[in-house]
Each structure stands twice: as C-alpha cells, then as structure tokens.
Amino acid sequence: MGGRRVARFLSLPEAIAHYVHDGDTVAMEGFTHLIPFAAAHEVIRQGRRDLTLVRMTPDLIYDQLIGMGCARRLVFSWGGNPGVGSLHRFRDAVEHGWPRPLELEEHSHAGIAHAYAAGAAGLPCAIFRGYLGTDLAGANPRIRFLECPFTGERLAAIPAIRPDVSIVHAQRADRAGNVLIEGIIGVQKEAVLAAARAVVTVEETVDDLRLASPNAVVLPNWTVDAIVEAPGGARPSYAHGYYGRDNTFYTAWDAISRDRDTFLAWMRENVLAAGPASRAGGGA
Amino acid sequence: MDYSRSEMMTVAAARALKNDDVCFVGIGLPSAACNLARLLHAPDITLIYESGTIGAKPHVLPLSIGDPELCETALTTVSVPETFAYWLQGGRISVGFLGAAQIDRFGNINSTVVGSYQTPTVRLPGAGGAPEIATLCGEVFVIIPHTRRSFVPTVDFITSFGYGTGGDHRKRLGIHTAGPSLVVTDLGLLRPDPETKELVVVSIHAGATVEEIRQQTGWEVRFASHVEQTPPPDDTELAALRGLVGRSARSAESTV
C-alpha cells in the first residue's frame, strides 16, 4: 500500500474532481445515518459517468445518481425508500433502462457487510454463513459456496469489496484530519479501509474531537485522502448530535421521483443550479 | 372497542413474542408488533435492528431501520458487519420477525422481483437482511396482509428460504434452524405442517371466515383439524397499540 498518506483539507469540488473519476467503483456509505448527500450532489454536478456504485441501501442518494445517468452498475442489497416504498429512479432504470440500463450485482446485507469487512482486512473474499436456499445465488455469479476445510460446513464466499474510492460523512475532524464517527456507524469504517482512496465530509473541524470513550470510532488521518468541511452534508439523512432525519423529505421524494420530468426539474433546480454549499432536500 | 383488521394482525403478532426473546426486527409491521409486545407482556424483550442497535426501546416507531430514535434508546450500537457476524451469524437471535411482498405455501419469501429476474414486471427493494435472518435465527415469524396477490402457490423468486419444496428441504441444505414457524395475517394464523411443512391455517381471527381465507390464498389452503378462533384485541392491547401509533404519527409530523 506504500507509505503513509495524510489527509488534506479540500473544498468539495476539489475533492470530487481529484478523487472521483469516470468509470470508478465508488462506495458512498452511511446506514440510514450520515449519508454523504452533499458529496453525491457534487458528483452529479461534475457529471461523472459510468460509475459502479456500491452501497448496502441505495436510498435517495443513489436514486438521484442513477436518475441523472451517472451509474453503469449497482452493487447493493436493499433498494428502497426506507419506510416509504420504492426508489422510482432505480426501478425505472431496471425496468425500462431509463436514462440508461443499469447492471445489478445483488447481495444480502450480510453479504455486503462481510465483503466490506474482507476488503478492510485485505482479504480476497468474504466467507460466511449465507445465501442458503436463496435465488440470489443463481442471479449473481459472484456468489459461490465452499466447504469449511475443518468441519465440512457449506459456507458462502463472495469477492471482497475494494472500491476505487469510498465517500463517507462524519461528525467531525480535528485539525490534523483525524475523523470521529458515532451513532449508527454502519459500514463506514470498513468502506474507508477497503478503498484505494477515501474522501470524508464532516459537520465541523475542531481542535479536539471530544472522544466520549477510548473506544470511539476514529479514522486516523493516514487512512483518509481528503477531508471536506460540509456542514449539513448528510441532509436529508441525519447526523447524530447535530440534526435529525428529515422523514418528511423522504416521504416527499416519492412524488418528486415518480415522474421523470418532475425528477429532472427538481434536480436542475436543487442540485445542478445550486452550489456546493447548498443542501438539497432536508430543510437546510 | 371496535378495531381494524390491521390492528388485529399487529396484536396477534405481538402476542407470539415472549419476554425472554432476542428478536431481530424488520422495519414496518414487524417493528410495530415487536414494540407492542415490549409495551405489553414482554417488557424485557431484546429488540435488535439491522442498523446495529441492540436493545432498542423506541418511544415512537421508526420510519427507517436506522432512525435516531433506535440508537438513542438502544443499550449499545455496533457496526453493521458486527451485527451480522457476531449477533446474527453467531446464533444469538431467537426470533427473526420479517415482512414480505409475497409468500408461498412452503413459507418461502419474495422481496426481490415480480416476474423474471432479468426482465422483471416489478422491481421490489430486494433482500436487505432477510436471507440470513431466515436461516440463522432460531425461528422466524412473518407478518403479511392476506391477499391473493401476496399468498402465491410458488414465489417468483426465493429471496428468503422457508421450507423450499417442503419436507426436510432445510435440513438437506444444511440449515438447522426452525424457519417460518408462524405466519400472521389480517385474517388468521398459519403454521407449517410438522411433516410436509406446508403452511396450514391454525387460527382464524374474530370477524374473518374460512371462505374469506380460501379466497385470499393463491393455493388450495389447508386448515388444521382443530382451527382456533383468535381472541379479538382487548382494551389494554388496543390502547397500547393506538398510543404507540398515535405518538409515532405526531412525531413524524413534527420532524425537523
């Protein structure tokens, strides 16, 4: 992996321009919590194409990227609007190829979680109890099975996830670029450690991370390439200790995204025509 | 007190949970049933959501699987890989509580596609945690409204394995947990036949009929030799459920 890198503080446009390229495999993680919406909107504004998007729960963030034609392929395990219903842009891409066809690599949550952990551990694959009896194994050729060499138990194996770049949002970084993540921590640590490059947007930069415990989840500055100060950058999802989840926007997204023209108009007004400091959706 | 069929369903589901259960909770109907049980007869039940919140005691029902309410009321919150590796795969969950889009006569669940996988008529959200919940929890309860569209002879896609084609199919695949031992609908309760593993109606909710269950089931559904009548929700159950649903709705309206 080479010598020690140290995180640089960049603006959002600089970080995305520098670290996210056309054709990359990109993981934007955050399990309901700390979803890096501001960074995704910058990816959309910069017009990235042919991305392979990896995420356990594509959520509104990937619905927007898919609907704007940024994605060629999606690696995922649950593609819905949590508690509301369908992701209409995702469905339109899968069912009708709009705005372009979307290849799917579909897993279970356990599969993707284990595959990120394997990526973080530098392993080629994840081995775990999974996928028994499900048709997912027939639909996804990357789901294989092997026998435990010690017990003979039939276990699932899938390739480790090794993104070109992972993007996560966190509560805060100190001046040296060390990052604190707390609350529902999802797979963010694993996604960052599994990736070749990592961009972290934060609510604020502080002198002291104010760690509540010696076991707090901290990403040392040499595991991250770029830190971007982006207050409100997880809206309309939430940042534990900073602001709540905008469930009203999640519900409203159903109507905004159902129709292609309504969706495009919303994206033009709230994302394309807006600057990197805007927080589209979620009362910023 | 008058009650709706949906309330009957949630109350019947809550009654199935025990105070010493460790329950892996799906969002939506399962979450409502699990929290109702916690407010009634199972105050010590451990609820685990796949967002890593262990021992969550939400005051209001979460809209998503990772709402702040879950983390703020949990005993502890662990990472998602730890949730699936240590807590689910490690065999520490007694009951997995799932919802479903489609279920078939052998308790297999589809939440992936209607139609073929490559060219689906309807693309559903997909698996989430369900495939491993279905095979790694001690047993699985399913809650699903009873309609002909959702109760199909064979699911289009097995997202979560129930009893496959029946009999000892689970065992042959190396799955040693009990599987979907209870299906709660708005019309009644179904349990697998001990031998064939076909889902059989064992209880009919007050107000529902045999004929109605036949009509709303996509196969020629069998009834147990002694079919019970599910007692209607009592006043305590209804008050607890309405309190929970009511404050959840008020909280949703006031979200920032």
Side-chain angles (χ1 to χ4, degrees):
Chain A
M1 296 297 287
R4 213 173 88 149
R5 58 181 167 178
V6 176
R8 295 191 292 164
F9 284 86
L10 297 177
S11 73
L12 188 53
E14 284 171 339
I16 299 304
H18 202 80
Y19 291 108
V20 184
H21 314 131
D22 286 354
D24 273 354
T25 295
V26 184
M28 301 182 195
E29 277 297 350
F31 200 87
T32 309
H33 177 216
L34 293 173
I35 301 176
F37 274 94
H41 290 164
E42 185 59 27
V43 170
I44 291 169
R45 276 191 294 273
Q46 294 192 18
R48 289 293 174 282
R49 286 293 177 270
D50 296 320
L51 301 177
T52 291
L53 295 176
V54 186
R55 187 173 156 73
M56 296 185 68
T57 57
D59 199 273
L60 275 49
I61 188 175
Y62 279 10
D63 212 32
Q64 295 173 354
L65 284 152
I66 290 165
M68 295 304 283
C70 303
R72 179 182 66 79
R73 181 176 171 82
L74 177 69
V75 181
F76 78 111
S77 43
W78 192 82
N81 180 347
V84 178
S86 290
L87 289 178
H88 297 294
R89 296 301 97 223
F90 159 69
R91 278 186 60 177
D92 203 10
V94 174
E95 293 170 11
H96 309 112
W98 191 91
R100 55 173 298 178
L102 183 68
E103 290 173 33
L104 298 183
E105 180 182 334
E106 186 161 2
H107 289 278
S108 64
H109 278 353
I112 296 213
H114 281 102
Y116 272 124
L123 290 169
C125 71
I127 296 171
F128 59 103
R129 290 198 176 105
Y131 295 117
L132 288 178
T134 166
D135 285 337
L136 282 169
N140 179 351
R142 285 154 72 91
I143 298 171
R144 313 261 175 101
F145 294 92
L146 48 73
E147 251 184 31
C148 168
F150 305 103
T151 64
E153 182 177 353
R154 187 173 154 85
L155 299 168
I158 61 174
I161 294 175
R162 308 299 299 268
D164 294 311
V165 56
S166 285
I167 304 175
V168 301
H169 187 76
Q171 273 89 355
R172 50 192 175 266
D174 65 20
R175 310 276 172 215
N178 301 299
V179 172
L180 169 76
I181 303 182
E182 62 185 358
I184 288 176
I185 51 178
V187 290
Q188 285 98 310
K189 182 175 179 176
E190 289 77 9
V192 164
L193 296 181
R197 306 185 292 275
V199 174
V200 181
T201 57
V202 295
E203 285 299 320
E204 58 175 340
T205 311
V206 295
D207 293 325
D208 174 1
L209 285 178
R210 307 192 299 278
L211 303 181
S213 143
N215 307 109
V217 178
V218 171
L219 298 169
N221 61 4
W222 49 275
T223 64
V224 173
D225 293 278
I227 309 273
V228 175
E229 206 170 85
R235 288 180 189 277
S237 80
Y238 71 103
H240 189 102
Y242 289 79
Y243 46 87
R245 188 174 190 267
D246 189 348
N247 284 341
T248 308
F249 183 79
Y250 271 81
T251 306
W253 182 251
D254 191 68
I256 296 169
S257 61
R258 198 174 280 268
D259 173 80
R260 292 172 185 173
D261 292 334
T262 314
F263 162 75
L264 286 173
W266 191 92
M267 292 300 294
R268 271 195 295 270
E269 183 181 339
N270 295 283
V271 176
L272 294 181
S278 70
R279 298 290 173 258
Chain B
M1 241 194 279
D2 274 351
Y3 59 91
S4 72
R5 287 191 160 175
S6 173
E7 287 174 326
M8 176 74 252
M9 173 168 64
T10 302
V11 167
R15 288 173 185 161
L17 292 161
K18 299 186 299 292
N19 194 41
D20 60 355
D21 272 325
V22 177
C23 185
F24 208 99
V25 185
I27 202 67
L29 291 171
S31 175
C34 292
N35 282 291
L36 180 60
R38 184 173 60 76
L39 296 173
L40 292 167
H41 58 279
D44 302 320
I45 191 170
T46 296
L47 304 184
I48 300 185
Y49 289 74
E50 65 195 11
S51 51
T53 49
I54 297 178
K57 299 182 173 188
H59 181 64
V60 296
L61 293 171
L63 180 68
S64 82
I65 199 85
D67 273 19
E69 177 76 9
L70 296 174
C71 180
E72 284 159 11
T73 63
L75 175 65
T76 183
T77 297
V78 301
S79 75
V80 168
E82 181 179 324
T83 306
F84 283 97
Y86 297 175
W87 301 91
L88 179 60
Q89 180 177 252
R92 291 181 168 81
I93 315 289
S94 60
V95 179
F97 216 130
L98 297 174
Q102 273 189 338
I103 189 166
D104 71 19
R105 68 192 299 168
F106 291 111
N108 303 298
I109 289 173
N110 175 19
S111 49
T112 304
V113 288
V114 177
S116 79
Y117 184 76
Q118 292 305 331
T119 52
T121 324
V122 181
R123 176 63 232 199
L124 301 165
E132 283 74 23
I133 293 171
T135 54
L136 293 170
C137 294
E139 62 185 321
V140 175
F141 298 165
V142 182
I143 180 167
I144 177 171
H146 211 134
T147 71
R148 218 176 167 80
R149 277 181 67 191
S150 55
F151 278 71
V152 297
T154 310
V155 288
D156 292 343
F157 188 99
I158 297 181
T159 309
S160 307
F161 193 77
Y163 299 105
T165 54
D168 64 350
H169 202 166
R170 280 178 83 85
K171 198 167 280 176
R172 280 187 278 124
L173 292 183
I175 304 169
H176 302 292
T177 51
S181 56
L182 174 68
V183 177
V184 181
T185 83
D186 52 350
L187 300 180
L189 307 177
L190 298 89
R191 290 189 185 275
D193 177 277
E195 292 300 317
T196 67
K197 301 297 181 185
E198 179 180 335
L199 291 176
V200 174
V201 178
V202 296
S203 188
I204 300 177
H205 298 337
T209 65
V210 168
E211 193 43 43
E212 207 174 351
I213 289 179
R214 284 213 171 98
Q215 270 175 14
Q216 295 300 336
T217 308
W219 69 88
E220 213 166 292
V221 67
R222 290 179 47 224
F223 291 77
S225 44
H226 297 288
V227 178
E228 297 187 359
Q229 174 147 95
T230 317
D234 65 28
D235 289 354
T236 311
E237 290 169 327
L238 275 180
L241 175 58
R242 287 174 186 174
L244 179 63
V245 169
R247 63 181 175 268
S248 303
R250 285 192 298 279
S251 159
E253 278 168 16
S254 65
T255 310
V256 180

